[in-house]
């Protein structure tokens, strides 16, 4: 039996533990995670593709957010983001997704809309807050991100929920490294949100992504007992949906997509796609230094 300190069988002259053993260990870990949890640990080649899709999604999101001003409709934003996808040779993942098929290329969630808002002809106005959510498919790989935009001056309640949501995302990302439990993400988020007088939506979660739009695992933002250790090669979103009032929401019975807060109070969400690396994490949906703090 080969020892980890023996010369590698490939003839490289390096010890086995420094050459082909890590590849074998990663392969075994990937097989274990797929079989036990349904989680895809991505290969180096897949990560290259996912990274490119995420960069494109972040760039489209950034450009679309800059267009969001008073008088512009969410349909205008949708048309612009759709055109940016076409110019990049990409596909907007939401378009036609699900049952019933989502009818637009991005999600635009306004004020009390928690998520999955459908662009329409309503013009943005002073005092609105808006979440824009972009998911791009580039060469078969997915990148997913969202960001809040304030339209002019906003009231203190809306500013607070935007600030708390962003801080929850930052704090959750900061703890990411191999070996922590998925449940720790929800613990960090809910403890911070409740400490600051907000609630955490538990009807919707983050998710694995990259090869498919939605993959295992679900990434809960509230207290939970999903004690799966995260591992290098995992790619998933964290997207805490934070409400100024009650945590509960309801889905529009007509369009079957738009989720609103039960009390009409504002909601905010920020989202990144993350890669777990050997020593920590990488934010795949950053555009250079463009992670705008509200």
């Amino acid at each position: 039996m080969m020892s980890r300190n023996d010369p590698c069988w490939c003839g490289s002259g390096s010890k086995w533990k420094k050459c082909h053993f890590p590849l074998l260990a990663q392969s075994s870990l990937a097989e274990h995670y797929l079989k036990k949890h349904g989680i895809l640990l991505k290969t180096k080649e897949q990560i290259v593709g996912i990274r490119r899709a995420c960069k494109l999604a972040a760039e489209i999101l950034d450009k679309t957010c800059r267009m969001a001003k008073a008088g512009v409709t969410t349909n205008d934003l949708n048309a612009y983001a759709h055109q940016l996808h076409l110019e990049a040779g990409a596909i907007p993942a939401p378009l036609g997704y699900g049952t019933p098929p989502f009818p637009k290329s991005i999600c635009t969630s306004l004020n009390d809309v928690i998520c999955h808002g459908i662009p329409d002809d309503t013009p943005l106005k002073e005092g609105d807050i808006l979440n824009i959510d972009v998911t791009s498919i580039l060469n078969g790989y997915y990148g997913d991100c969202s960001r809040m935009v304030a339209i002019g001056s906003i009231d203190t309640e809306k500013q607070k929920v935007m600030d708390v949501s962003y801080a929850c995302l930052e704090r959750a990302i900061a703890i990411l490294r191999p070996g922590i439990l998925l449940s720790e993400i929800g613990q960090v988020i809910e403890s911070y949100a409740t400490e600051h007088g907000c609630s955490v939506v538990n009807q919707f979660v983050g998710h694995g992504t990259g090869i498919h739009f939605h993959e295992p695992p679900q990434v809960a933002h509230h207290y939970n007992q999903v004690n799966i250790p995260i591992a290098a090669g995992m790619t998933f979103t964290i997207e805490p949906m934070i409400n100024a009032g009650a945590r509960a929401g309801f889905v529009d019975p007509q369009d079957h997509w738009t989720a609103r807060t039960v009390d009409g109070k504002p909601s905010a969400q920020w989202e990144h796609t993350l890669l777990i690396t050997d020593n920590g994490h990488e934010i795949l949906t950053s555009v250079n230094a463009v992670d705008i703090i509200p």
Side-chain angles (χ1 to χ4, degrees):
M1 181 176 179
M2 180 176 286
S3 164
R4 295 172 71 245
N5 288 312
D6 288 342
C8 188
W9 52 264
C10 72
S12 65
S14 298
K15 292 181 179 180
W16 185 41
K17 68 180 181 182
K18 295 288 188 180
C19 192
H20 272 79
F21 177 77
L23 298 177
L24 176 63
Q26 182 64 21
S27 175
S28 299
L29 186 63
E31 185 178 342
H32 169 75
Y33 267 69
L34 183 59
K35 184 176 181 180
K36 185 170 183 179
H37 307 298
I39 295 172
L40 297 169
L41 300 187
K42 310 310 191 293
T43 66
K44 290 180 180 179
E45 292 77 16
Q46 289 169 336
I47 289 168
V48 169
I50 295 167
R51 187 180 283 118
R52 289 173 179 158
C54 285
K55 184 175 187 296
L56 176 64
E59 289 171 348
I60 291 174
L61 176 63
D62 184 52
K63 291 176 180 177
T64 306
C65 286
R66 293 178 189 277
M67 185 184 173
K69 302 181 187 305
V72 174
T73 71
T74 50
N75 260 340
D76 293 334
L77 300 177
N78 180 77
Y80 180 59
H82 185 86
Q83 184 61 33
L84 292 175
H85 278 90
L86 295 182
E87 291 171 359
I91 300 167
L95 185 60
Y97 178 81
T99 305
F102 193 80
K104 301 290 181 172
S105 296
I106 61 173
C107 297
T108 51
S109 300
L110 193 62
N111 297 323
D112 65 331
V113 177
I114 296 169
C115 61
H116 304 155
I118 299 173
D120 60 20
D121 289 326
T122 303
L124 300 174
K125 64 182 186 300
E126 181 90 6
D128 284 338
I129 59 172
L130 174 70
N131 176 271
I132 301 175
D133 193 332
V134 172
T135 306
S136 303
I137 311 171
L138 182 64
N139 299 323
Y141 296 103
Y142 290 76
D144 190 358
C145 51
S146 80
R147 199 155 82 199
M148 296 300 298
V149 181
I151 308 301
S153 297
I154 60 175
D155 64 34
T156 55
E157 186 175 54
K158 288 178 177 177
Q159 187 65 60
K160 177 182 178 180
V161 77
M162 282 180 62
D163 291 345
V164 171
S165 179
Y166 189 87
C168 285
L169 177 61
E170 279 197 312
R171 282 161 172 74
I173 290 173
I175 68 169
L176 296 179
R177 65 184 186 280
I180 74 155
L181 304 178
L182 277 171
S183 59
E184 293 181 60
I185 295 170
Q187 290 168 8
V188 166
I189 291 171
E190 187 151 15
S191 62
Y192 184 86
T194 54
E195 179 185 342
H196 289 82
C198 294
S199 61
V200 182
V201 173
N202 60 4
Q203 293 167 267
F204 305 99
V205 295
H207 52 88
T209 193
I211 305 299
H212 307 288
F213 195 168
H214 298 100
E215 306 170 4
Q218 293 189 349
V219 181
H221 306 117
H222 57 280
Y223 294 133
N224 66 90
Q225 298 298 318
V226 182
N227 293 324
I228 300 172
I230 67 174
M234 288 176 66
T235 53
F236 55 82
T237 69
I238 299 178
E239 44 187 300
M241 287 152 267
I242 306 299
N243 292 348
R247 78 158 78 221
F250 68 96
V251 176
D252 188 295
Q254 300 300 317
D255 68 37
H256 303 286
W257 279 105
T258 307
R260 292 186 173 87
T261 58
V262 293
D263 52 13
K265 287 185 173 291
S267 183
Q269 174 190 15
W270 303 73
E271 175 185 13
H272 274 307
T273 297
L274 294 312
L275 165 68
I276 304 305
T277 65
D278 289 336
N279 301 309
H281 64 268
E282 179 184 342
I283 302 174
L284 296 179
T285 42
S286 285
V287 180
N288 300 323
V290 181
D291 280 330
I292 300 174
I293 298 175

